[in-house]
Amino acid sequence: MAAPRDWLGAVEEEGNSGLQGSSGVEVVFPSDPATPAPLCPHGPTLLFVKVNQGKEESRRFYACSACRDRKDCNFFQWEDEKLSEARLAAREAHNRRCQPPLSRTQCAERYLKFIELPLAERKFCQRCQQLLLPDDWEKHREHWVVGNISAGQLGRPSQLLRPLENKKTNAQYLFAERTCHFLVDLLPALGLTRVLCVGTPRLHELIRLKASGDEKSNIKSLLLDIDFRYSQFYMEDSFCRYNMFNHHFFDGKAALEVCRTFLQEDKGEGVIMVTDPPFGGLVEPLAVTFKKLIAMWKEGQSQDSSHKELPVFWIFPYFFESRIRQFFPSFCMLDYQVDYDNHALYKHGKTGRKQSPVRIFTNIPPSKIILPSEEGYRFCPLCQRYVSLENQHCEHCNSCTSKDGRKWNHCFLCKKCVKPSWIHCSLCGHCALPDHSCGAPKDGCFICGELDHKRSTCPQITASKKVINTFFFRAVRKQKQRKSKKTKMETVKEQSMNHTSVTRKKKRRERAHQYLCS
């Protein structure tokens, strides 16, 4: 997910630019890998290739699957690079040091001891983000410690823990209560009783709280998340530490079997996968991972049920629709706006470009998903689905065409509906923003018009940067020269003034001496 608006714009650009990301790097999935990928602290790495002007460079490399910023994980290895035994041993030692200090079993044992403590002895260290047992108190004596941790707080760890906010790795922008309750209330209506929560800790919490407080609720959930801190609050059968970018279970086969059993329970009936990945993550690795989870679910299906699909809610910005449907053609996008508690921009109720761009992509027929009418959603009998209030049905497109919640306008020249801020350009032959660069084709580079690369890798950008840099350095050099000349002139002027002053004083002394002598 994202925080600042400029970063959101970059993500939107990447979402609309096809498989190639704005960084000029693509992920490669060999059909028959000869050797397993090397490991970093986040599990198996991914194979990448740099792309220059639409062409792959010859040498490919491995990098971390979860971190797009090398400051967070600096793993790098060429695909054909041979490492010595010493380097391999050093890497293994580094990977071990980066793992959590406590194992999954130790965390579960500590949790059982913690809930048996009296309320006055239940403490949580805000600095270390850790539940404290009495033996730990002395070590954390100088830290900010919160006491009297209630059962309610233990049941909502996402409110107790400090959210991670690395936009490119494991950003934790947590569902607002409105979104959580909408999803939980929707499950029984769809006949669903189990939820695989992939990166949705707050939804997992609400499902468990509702099940514990309502005897009629039979909904169960399993949380898969990369944040190891949740190991303190859940037993092994309700939480697995998991990397959704490479389908890696950090606790090995035991956690894998927990997930498999959960998906295949009751022959796979009544289960849904709900996932909310970081918006800065690459779509293709996520799609590959989700297909592996779907395949795991299908292993428990009978041959008669081979045509069925695992229900999925993939929560992502609307401008990734084409990317998602490229990997999952059966998915459609709902108009429901997903909002987050700890995000300044993604809030429901705002209008225009300020509203949340996050939507739900699903393979469940949209006619079965009822959106709340009190929030302005209405049912379109022609489209057979619920749409937002401003999403008007276009008789020419025969569809409710808006993607971002605003009313779109039909362009008879383009023969489709476009955003209200777009106008038809006679030079380009299609609709675009009024200040767009004319002559740029829909597919290809928006700067030079070539079809073999994207704008982000256009050589003209590099050339223009060189021109700008040359101009900048020349300007700086001229400014320095002017400043040096000015300083020199001031120095000469000051020296001249000093010389004049000395000469005048000397003449005054001479006149005074002559006067005294006379």
Side-chain angles (χ1 to χ4, degrees):
M1 301 180 191
R5 172 64 69 179
D6 56 350
W7 186 85
L8 172 61
V11 174
E12 181 170 2
E13 179 183 343
E14 180 175 338
N16 293 325
S17 65
L19 282 177
Q20 182 175 318
S22 59
S23 62
V25 175
E26 293 182 6
V27 64
V28 179
F29 289 96
S31 57
D32 185 21
T35 57
L39 301 178
C40 76
H42 303 93
T45 55
L46 293 179
L47 184 62
F48 294 91
V49 61
K50 290 185 178 180
V51 178
N52 185 21
Q53 298 185 21
K55 298 180 181 179
E56 293 186 2
E57 295 183 0
S58 59
R59 204 172 185 189
R60 303 188 294 190
F61 62 92
Y62 291 101
C64 180
S65 63
C67 303
R68 296 180 66 183
D69 193 335
R70 293 193 67 187
K71 294 179 181 178
D72 302 310
C73 182
N74 61 0
F75 184 96
F76 183 91
Q77 179 183 325
W78 294 110
E79 182 186 23
D80 55 357
E81 184 178 2
K82 302 298 182 182
L83 301 183
S84 64
E85 293 295 332
R87 285 190 62 186
L88 290 173
R91 176 180 293 172
E92 291 179 6
H94 172 72
N95 292 346
R96 286 194 299 269
R97 287 194 301 269
C98 293
Q99 297 309 310
L102 300 175
S103 67
R104 188 71 185 88
T105 303
Q106 289 173 321
C107 288
E109 292 174 352
R110 286 174 59 88
Y111 176 75
L112 294 176
K113 293 179 181 178
F114 188 87
I115 60 178
E116 292 178 355
L117 294 173
L119 183 62
E121 297 183 8
R122 293 182 182 178
K123 298 183 180 182
F124 178 78
C125 179
Q126 290 280 11
R127 176 178 171 180
C128 302
Q129 297 285 284
Q130 179 183 339
L131 294 174
L132 303 181
L133 296 177
D135 293 341
D136 305 322
W137 292 353
E138 182 60 27
K139 298 177 184 177
H140 301 263
R141 184 167 52 87
E142 302 296 331
H143 298 178
W144 179 20
V145 175
V146 179
N148 298 326
I149 304 299
S150 64
Q153 289 175 295
L154 290 175
R156 302 300 299 265
S158 68
Q159 297 180 353
L160 192 61
L161 295 170
R162 182 173 56 251
L164 303 175
E165 295 185 351
N166 186 319
K167 298 179 290 296
K168 296 182 179 181
T169 308
N170 45 14
Q172 290 178 329
Y173 295 110
L174 305 167
F175 289 151
E177 289 295 311
R178 160 190 166 270
T179 296
C180 279
H181 283 284
F182 165 73
L183 293 172
V184 172
D185 295 341
L186 186 62
L187 299 175
L190 298 174
L192 301 169
T193 57
R194 297 193 315 283
V195 184
L196 183 66
C197 298
V198 185
T200 58
R202 186 155 285 183
L203 178 63
H204 177 64
E205 294 171 3
L206 188 59
I207 292 173
R208 288 172 58 86
L209 287 176
K210 189 170 184 179
S212 62
D214 186 359
E215 295 180 356
K216 296 181 181 179
S217 177
N218 61 344
I219 300 179
K220 298 187 295 184
S221 66
L222 171 65
L223 175 62
L224 306 183
D225 200 285
I226 197 171
D227 189 354
F228 69 90
R229 299 177 301 172
Y230 285 105
S231 300
Q232 305 174 83
F233 300 90
Y234 299 117
M235 302 301 291
E236 292 96 328
D237 60 348
S238 58
F239 169 72
C240 299
R241 189 172 176 232
Y242 178 75
N243 183 349
M244 70 175 75
F245 290 99
N246 59 6
H247 188 55
H248 176 66
F249 289 87
F250 288 87
D251 296 304
K253 292 183 178 179
L256 175 63
E257 289 305 316
V258 169
C259 181
R260 189 192 307 276
T261 302
F262 185 85
L263 287 172
Q264 297 180 3
E265 184 180 340
D266 296 332
K267 298 181 180 180
E269 294 293 329
V271 63
I272 182 175
M273 180 177 72
V274 182
T275 180
D276 182 34
F279 298 164
L282 297 174
V283 172
E284 188 172 3
L286 292 171
V288 170
T289 290
F290 298 155
K291 287 183 178 181
K292 290 180 180 180
L293 290 172
I294 293 172
M296 189 185 299
W297 169 79
K298 279 196 171 185
E299 291 174 1
Q301 297 285 299
S302 62
Q303 293 183 351
D304 298 335
S305 304
S306 58
H307 64 284
K308 292 184 178 180
E309 292 186 28
L310 172 67
V312 177
F313 281 168
W314 182 343
I315 297 169
F316 229 46
Y318 70 83
F319 40 78
F320 280 97
E321 181 182 18
S322 60
R323 302 280 302 278
I324 292 176
R325 295 198 64 184
Q326 181 178 1
F327 299 103
F328 296 98
S330 63
F331 280 25
C332 64
M333 187 180 75
L334 304 180
D335 273 24
Y336 184 83
Q337 293 183 21
V338 177
D339 58 342
Y340 298 84
D341 264 351
N342 57 328
H343 200 292
L345 298 177
Y346 296 171
K347 297 291 186 183
H348 172 71
K350 294 185 177 181
T351 58
R353 295 290 290 175
K354 294 182 179 180
Q355 62 191 330
S356 173
V358 188
R359 301 291 185 268
I360 300 175
F361 296 88
T362 181
N363 54 358
I364 298 176
S367 59
K368 295 183 178 181
I369 301 176
I370 301 175
L371 303 185
S373 58
E374 63 272 14
E375 296 182 7
Y377 298 101
R378 57 180 180 80
F379 186 76
C380 177
L382 298 175
C383 293
Q384 285 294 296
R385 69 184 182 97
Y386 281 81
V387 296
S388 61
L389 186 62
E390 296 296 324
N391 193 358
Q392 302 296 318
H393 191 89
C394 177
E395 59 181 4
H396 307 287
C397 298
N398 193 26
S399 174
C400 293
T401 53
S402 174
K403 304 292 184 182
D404 58 8
R406 297 179 293 172
K407 182 181 177 180
W408 286 21
N409 302 322
H410 187 82
C411 177
F412 291 94
L413 297 175
C414 293
K415 297 181 180 180
K416 66 177 182 179
C417 287
V418 297
K419 295 180 179 181
S421 57
W422 288 16
I423 60 173
H424 191 86
C425 178
S426 58
L427 296 177
C428 299
H430 60 80
C431 289
L433 290 170
D435 58 349
H436 73 286
S437 177
C438 287
K442 180 180 178 182
D443 295 322
C445 180
F446 282 86
I447 294 179
C448 66
E450 296 295 332
L451 298 176
D452 61 347
H453 63 272
K454 297 293 182 181
R455 182 185 68 84
S456 58
T457 57
C458 181
Q460 290 190 15
I461 291 182
T462 306
S464 62
K465 284 183 178 178
K466 288 181 179 179
V467 172
I468 292 172
N469 289 339
T470 302
F471 175 79
F472 173 77
F473 286 121
R474 284 179 179 174
V476 170
R477 187 165 60 248
K478 288 182 179 179
Q479 185 178 6
K480 287 182 177 180
Q481 289 174 352
R482 287 194 298 268
K483 187 176 180 180
S484 177
K485 185 177 180 180
K486 183 179 179 181
T487 304
K488 187 176 181 179
M489 290 177 64
E490 289 176 350
T491 303
V492 172
K493 184 178 180 180
E494 183 178 355
Q495 291 176 349
S496 177
M497 291 177 64
N498 291 339
H499 177 71
T500 304
S501 177
V502 169
T503 303
R504 287 177 180 174
K505 289 180 180 179
K506 184 177 181 180
K507 288 183 177 179
R508 283 200 298 269
R509 285 197 298 268
E510 289 178 352
R511 286 197 298 270
H513 179 72
Q514 292 174 0
Y515 175 76
L516 292 173
C517 293
S518 63

